[in-house]
Amino acid sequence: MVCSSDMSAQPKYLEVRASSGVALRKSKDLSSKVISAVYHQYQYPIIDVQATFIQVRLLDGNIGWAYLGKNYERFAIQNGQATNIVDYAVPVKTKQGALVGTIKPKATVPIMDTWYGRAKLRTPNGDGWIYTGNLNEQNVVFLENQSAKTTFFADFSASQILSNMHVNVKQSEFFESAGVHRLYANNESEIKFQFILDSGARAQIVLDHQSKDSEDIRAHSPISIRVNDQLIVSEFQPASGGFARDQFFISALKSGKNTITLSLESGRTHYWIRSFRIYLDQS
């Protein structure tokens, strides 16, 4: 049995490297139902990970990767070391697949690193599992912290909003069956996002949202966006009949505290939001 105590310090976020994105599935099984996707260069909080390889140092000094096993387990792991608990030698290979040695039955070797083959993520479209790639073609980068380059985000898919900004919501409710927050009061419902920058910057705002009515697919829920009290977007009508991703470019960010306000204007229906992200222009 694998003791996971030494693998508890799992990475907290990952960033998708695959340009095509990665399918988000209901379970760890690659044949399970695809429920959504995670996207290139986006960063996501990790809920759980499944280790499939460990990097070890053999007694002769060679370093390589050993497969933990998918349907059975080969090692007992404790105090940063792995002990072979099967009755055969476990091969240790480079990332490219070249054999560097073996771990004999009952032999113990130090663990240098861990590679996770599956990860469960929290996304604006719900929680699910992704295949993170093999040792040669890694689909993701694991991160201990949200990258500072970067991205400010707010995830509205759970009742407790997950964000690295201060988020204040007015006249809104969480709609559990859809995994969204809903703005419902014309000219009153709003969301304020506050964050601090070391210097002024241009940025891109990316919204995953829609206008929504229980019956009328021609929903009408216009929004406005203000950046530090400067009106950037007015009477913008999100798509109805399904979620859409819209992008807005802004240049009004300043050194110090910034406030972005998204407001529901006069409309006939409600506004649903799943995620709000800000990508800073580093040029």
Side-chain angles (χ1 to χ4, degrees):
M1 177 180 179
V2 170
C3 173
S4 61
S5 61
D6 289 295
M7 295 184 180
S8 59
Q10 67 183 41
K12 297 180 177 64
Y13 299 91
L14 65 75
E15 179 177 310
V16 178
R17 296 178 61 182
S19 59
S20 60
V22 181
L24 188 74
R25 298 181 182 273
K26 189 174 182 180
S27 72
K28 301 176 190 176
D29 191 339
L30 284 177
S31 64
S32 70
K33 180 181 178 181
V34 174
I35 56 177
S36 186
V38 290
Y39 301 100
H40 183 222
Q41 294 185 332
Y42 276 61
Q43 296 172 0
Y44 298 90
I46 295 173
I47 300 172
D48 191 11
V49 285
Q50 178 187 17
T52 51
F53 289 90
I54 51 175
Q55 187 184 52
V56 298
R57 178 186 287 120
L58 301 176
L59 297 178
D60 60 7
N62 284 330
I63 294 175
W65 292 88
Y67 182 51
L68 287 173
K70 181 177 180 181
N71 299 317
Y72 54 92
E73 296 175 337
R74 301 175 171 188
F75 297 97
I77 295 174
Q78 193 170 10
N79 299 325
Q81 295 186 314
T83 301
N84 182 353
I85 58 174
V86 294
D87 59 1
Y88 57 86
V90 176
V92 176
K93 301 179 180 181
T94 66
K95 282 189 176 183
Q96 291 70 37
L99 184 68
V100 299
T102 62
I103 306 173
K104 296 180 180 180
K106 299 183 180 180
T108 299
V109 292
I111 297 173
M112 312 295 293
D113 199 0
T114 304
W115 174 254
Y116 302 98
R118 303 285 188 277
K120 188 176 185 182
L121 309 179
R122 171 156 294 157
T123 83
N125 297 331
D127 298 348
W129 287 87
I130 70 166
Y131 172 62
T132 61
N134 59 40
L135 290 174
N136 294 323
E137 298 181 9
Q138 298 173 3
N139 292 330
V140 305
V141 176
F142 291 103
L143 306 169
E144 288 302 314
N145 299 292
Q146 192 82 2
S147 175
K149 51 183 186 184
T150 194
T151 307
F152 292 99
F153 73 96
D155 177 352
F156 293 88
S157 64
S159 57
Q160 183 69 37
I161 299 169
L162 181 67
S163 181
N164 59 356
M165 299 179 283
H166 176 72
V167 180
N168 184 42
V169 181
K170 177 182 176 183
Q171 298 286 10
S172 169
E173 62 182 353
F174 177 62
F175 194 28
E176 185 172 6
S177 62
V180 298
H181 276 69
R182 176 169 59 181
L183 304 187
Y184 55 82
N186 288 344
N187 301 310
E188 294 184 28
S189 291
E190 68 177 25
I191 307 173
K192 284 186 181 292
F193 307 90
Q194 293 184 327
F195 53 95
I196 295 174
L197 294 178
D198 292 333
S199 61
R202 295 174 298 176
Q204 177 186 17
I205 293 174
V206 179
L207 275 163
D208 188 14
H209 61 173
Q210 70 167 315
S211 295
K212 180 66 176 176
D213 182 80
S214 58
E215 297 178 358
D216 181 9
I217 64 170
R218 294 169 298 177
H220 178 63
S221 310
I223 61 169
S224 66
I225 299 175
R226 283 180 164 79
V227 179
N228 298 324
D229 293 327
Q230 179 180 340
L231 184 64
I232 302 297
V233 176
S234 179
E235 293 289 336
F236 179 81
Q237 172 56 42
S240 61
F243 278 90
R245 179 162 292 165
D246 289 306
Q247 305 176 50
F248 305 96
F249 293 91
I250 60 175
S251 58
L253 298 179
K254 61 185 181 180
S255 175
K257 186 170 77 172
N258 289 267
T259 301
I260 297 180
T261 304
L262 184 153
S263 303
L264 176 63
E265 300 186 4
S266 296
R268 299 190 305 270
T269 53
H270 297 163
Y271 171 79
W272 285 13
I273 181 170
R274 288 199 299 204
S275 74
F276 182 98
R277 288 179 183 267
I278 305 167
Y279 292 95
L280 300 182
D281 184 350
Q282 300 299 305
S283 61

